[in-house]
Amino acid sequence: MNSDYKILLVDDEPDILEFLSYNLKKEGYAVCTANNGKEAIVVAKRENPHLIILDVMMPDMDGIETCRELRALPGLKDVMIAFLTARSEDYSQIAGFEVGADDYINKPIKPRVLISRITALLRRGKSTAEVNQKMDLGGIRIDRERYVVVQDGKEINLPKKEFELLALLASKPGKVFTREAILDQVWGGEVVVGDRTIDVHVRKLREKLGEDFIRTVKGIGYKFEF
Amino acid sequence: MNSDYKILLVDDEPDILEFLSYNLKKEGYAVCTANNGKEAIVVAKRENPHLIILDVMMPDMDGIETCRELRALPGLKDVMIAFLTARSEDYSQIAGFEVGADDYINKPIKPRVLISRITALLRRGKSTAEVNQKMDLGGIRIDRERYVVVQDGKEINLPKKEFELLALLASKPGKVFTREAILDQVWGGEVVVGDRTIDVHVRKLREKLGEDFIRTVKGIGYKFEF
DNA sequence: CGCAATGTTAATTCAATATTAACATAAGAT
DNA sequence: ATCTTATGTTAATATTGAATTAACATTGCG
């Protein structure tokens, strides 16, 4: 489903906001909006969208300027940014790309083109967004891309099941995962394995990482803590 | 200097080819041309350009089809491809993005916009394209241009598949590439070859470079490390 | 205490990968 | 074209190391 993606629309004209919002929601995207540049920055910080669509012509702070400020925010380095321009404004295409835009979209907007364009943009952005699947907790970093766990700078290579188990527990530190849930997530629904299997994997993780990271909650399951 | 970048222009109208070529060369880009889709594929394979600009409307094989075939070539996964379209042909924008285009450029073409656009495109592609020029890692240098691998000063000639496999793994040292990803990148999407084929190529690389450069991550894939 | 849940270790099973050699195909040479 | 060699692929078999289990030990809560 497209709702994996959140899109922030920024335009001073409510009609356009409405029109875009309607079309994007219909495709299943999560949509949030802002009426001007200042608001856009606030919302962007809060919502962390995957894509921001900026009208170039706006009072006070125009799209170019907004884009520049957005790009300066640490968390928003990897967001895709597209500009909305009137067909004739060539100058803004130039300025836009210089300021770090990923695409521009001409008005008047045709829904089919819009959607197609956005799909392409998000697909392109995915590569970098996906890379950031790293977690960092209590001196331990789980690096999915390289498939290693880094503890105090040392790389630890874990076999698949151990890695996935650790990743699951660490994905919500403090939360207790029942054995059932663990089997379901790490092993996959249908697989049936013996009772002691999880314990053994936990043992190995404790050997490799230290005894204190995974805690047993008797009668319930296991949790990661640091 | 811009001449780090090679651009392939494809159009059936000599005038346009001439016009674009002139403007791009003036900016310092290396330019090569083709008059139709078939020719484009031949030239692209030979020249390995960073960016291909394709006219959508061409006799025989149109831009969309050409793009599809280009994308299917293993060596050209990372090329940037831009389409040249008449302003009205919205349909081609849709089809174009679906087929893996990175941008489209409207006719009539204004030099300033063209250059700005191309700069942006190349910058975007840089991450992957530039890396593929020359990499230097742990005593190994991969020289795409000369298609050789240099290890401790010695030149090693690798067959195509071995070279591409090594180049892929080395393009992101440490990153684990799944077999699926490897097949997709090195062999190309449609081709179906057995799983053991990859192993055999890995073995040959290990024979030639040493056992320790390619590490297998059981259940996941392979990674390059040094 | 007694019992059920969890821990531990080592042995076993099993699946993924490695290896080799045979076969197929493409590229170059004559 | 035909021969020749380099490259690519497959199939059969071996090997490795991860995953699982079995057997027994320990814990901790009612």
Side-chain angles (χ1 to χ4, degrees):
Chain A
M1 191 35 162
N2 283 332
S3 62
D4 299 335
Y5 290 114
K6 194 185 292 178
I7 300 175
L8 168 57
L9 302 173
V10 187
D11 201 314
D12 58 312
E13 299 171 61
D15 291 354
I16 295 193
L17 231 42
E18 179 63 30
F19 170 76
L20 292 174
S21 184
Y22 169 78
N23 278 289
L24 291 174
K25 279 179 181 162
K26 204 172 59 180
E27 288 295 314
Y29 292 105
V31 177
C32 48
T33 60
N35 296 303
N36 56 62
K38 292 234 183 307
E39 205 181 313
I41 287 168
V42 175
V43 178
K45 273 199 253 188
R46 188 182 62 220
E47 297 283 344
N48 245 88
H50 299 87
L51 168 66
I52 301 176
I53 300 179
L54 277 175
D55 190 20
V56 171
M57 297 296 263
M58 288 189 297
D60 289 348
M61 197 192 289
D62 71 7
I64 308 286
E65 185 49 30
T66 308
C67 179
R68 200 195 316 278
E69 298 205 10
L70 284 168
R71 281 283 187 237
L73 298 174
L76 298 172
K77 278 268 156 48
D78 295 328
V79 201
M80 297 304 264
I81 298 184
F83 280 106
L84 230 48
T85 74
R87 191 148 272 189
S88 54
E89 315 169 46
D90 281 334
Y91 87 93
S92 56
Q93 293 180 25
I94 297 176
F97 281 117
E98 267 162 12
V99 103
D102 297 291
D103 199 4
Y104 76 94
I105 298 169
N106 278 332
K107 297 185 202 175
I109 298 155
K110 302 189 182 176
R112 279 198 317 156
V113 175
L114 174 74
I115 298 300
S116 164
R117 207 72 177 249
I118 281 171
T119 310
L121 269 174
L122 288 171
R123 192 182 48 212
R124 210 161 71 206
K126 208 168 63 177
S127 46
T128 38
E130 216 168 36
V131 166
N132 296 341
Q133 289 176 330
K134 290 179 189 168
M135 294 177 275
D136 203 333
L137 357 107
I140 290 182
R141 185 161 38 100
I142 296 174
D143 188 333
R144 250 232 140 61
E145 178 174 277
R146 307 201 304 154
Y147 221 79
V148 291
V149 174
V150 184
Q151 185 179 31
D152 309 324
K154 280 189 312 261
E155 284 200 356
I156 302 175
N157 283 295
L158 296 179
K160 192 161 129 187
K161 284 281 189 306
E162 284 167 45
F163 186 93
E164 295 299 343
L165 172 57
L166 177 64
L168 174 65
L169 294 177
S171 71
K172 270 217 153 212
K175 160 166 180 171
V176 186
F177 291 83
T178 66
R179 284 160 178 278
E180 192 191 7
I182 292 172
L183 283 177
D184 200 48
Q185 300 279 316
V186 178
W187 272 261
E190 325 83 37
V191 187
V192 184
V193 293
D195 252 10
R196 303 272 63 70
T197 301
I198 293 179
D199 307 40
V200 174
H201 282 91
V202 168
R203 166 98 282 276
K204 293 195 178 138
L205 282 174
R206 283 175 174 155
E207 271 174 10
K208 290 171 186 172
L209 303 176
E211 300 293 324
D212 302 328
F213 285 100
I214 298 171
R215 155 177 299 210
T216 304
V217 183
K218 199 160 174 163
I220 313 291
Y222 296 92
K223 68 158 119 170
F224 181 92
E225 58 183 14
F226 56 94
Chain B
M1 192 35 163
N2 284 331
S3 64
D4 298 336
Y5 290 114
K6 196 185 289 179
I7 301 175
L8 168 58
L9 302 173
V10 188
D11 201 314
D12 58 310
E13 297 171 61
D15 291 354
I16 295 193
L17 230 42
E18 179 63 32
F19 169 75
L20 291 174
S21 184
Y22 169 77
N23 278 289
L24 292 174
K25 278 178 182 163
K26 203 172 59 179
E27 288 294 313
Y29 292 107
V31 178
C32 48
T33 61
N35 296 304
N36 56 61
K38 293 237 184 304
E39 206 183 311
I41 288 168
V42 176
V43 178
K45 271 200 254 190
R46 188 184 62 222
E47 297 283 345
N48 246 89
H50 299 88
L51 168 66
I52 300 176
I53 300 180
L54 277 174
D55 190 20
V56 173
M57 296 296 262
M58 288 188 296
D60 290 345
M61 196 192 290
D62 70 7
I64 307 284
E65 184 51 30
T66 308
C67 179
R68 200 194 316 278
E69 300 205 8
L70 283 169
R71 281 283 187 235
L73 299 174
L76 297 173
K77 274 272 154 51
D78 295 328
V79 204
M80 296 305 264
I81 297 183
F83 279 106
L84 232 47
T85 75
R87 190 148 272 188
S88 53
E89 315 169 44
D90 280 334
Y91 87 93
S92 56
Q93 293 181 25
I94 296 176
F97 281 116
E98 267 161 13
V99 103
D102 297 291
D103 199 4
Y104 76 95
I105 297 169
N106 278 332
K107 297 185 202 175
I109 298 155
K110 303 187 184 177
R112 276 199 319 153
V113 175
L114 174 74
I115 298 302
S116 163
R117 208 69 179 250
I118 282 172
T119 309
L121 269 174
L122 288 172
R123 190 182 53 213
R124 209 160 71 207
K126 207 165 67 176
S127 46
T128 38
E130 196 181 51
V131 168
N132 288 349
Q133 278 310 94
K134 282 175 188 170
M135 294 176 279
D136 203 332
L137 351 112
I140 291 183
R141 191 176 68 241
I142 296 173
D143 189 334
R144 249 237 138 63
E145 197 162 20
R146 301 198 299 143
Y147 221 80
V148 291
V149 173
V150 184
Q151 185 179 31
D152 309 323
K154 282 186 313 249
E155 283 201 359
I156 302 175
N157 271 302
L158 295 179
K160 192 159 58 199
K161 285 285 190 294
E162 284 167 46
F163 185 91
E164 294 298 343
L165 172 57
L166 177 64
L168 174 65
L169 294 176
S171 71
K172 267 220 157 207
K175 164 169 175 159
V176 184
F177 292 82
T178 64
R179 284 162 181 283
E180 192 191 8
I182 292 172
L183 284 178
D184 197 50
Q185 301 279 314
V186 178
W187 272 263
E190 317 82 35
V191 188
V192 185
V193 294
D195 252 13
R196 299 295 121 250
T197 301
I198 295 178
D199 307 37
V200 174
H201 285 272
V202 167
R203 187 182 145 279
K204 288 181 181 160
L205 282 174
R206 295 214 256 236
E207 270 175 8
K208 291 171 187 173
L209 303 175
E211 299 294 323
D212 302 328
F213 285 100
I214 298 172
R215 147 178 238 149
T216 116
V217 182
K218 202 163 172 165
I220 312 292
Y222 295 92
K223 67 159 109 171
F224 181 93
E225 53 182 22
F226 55 94

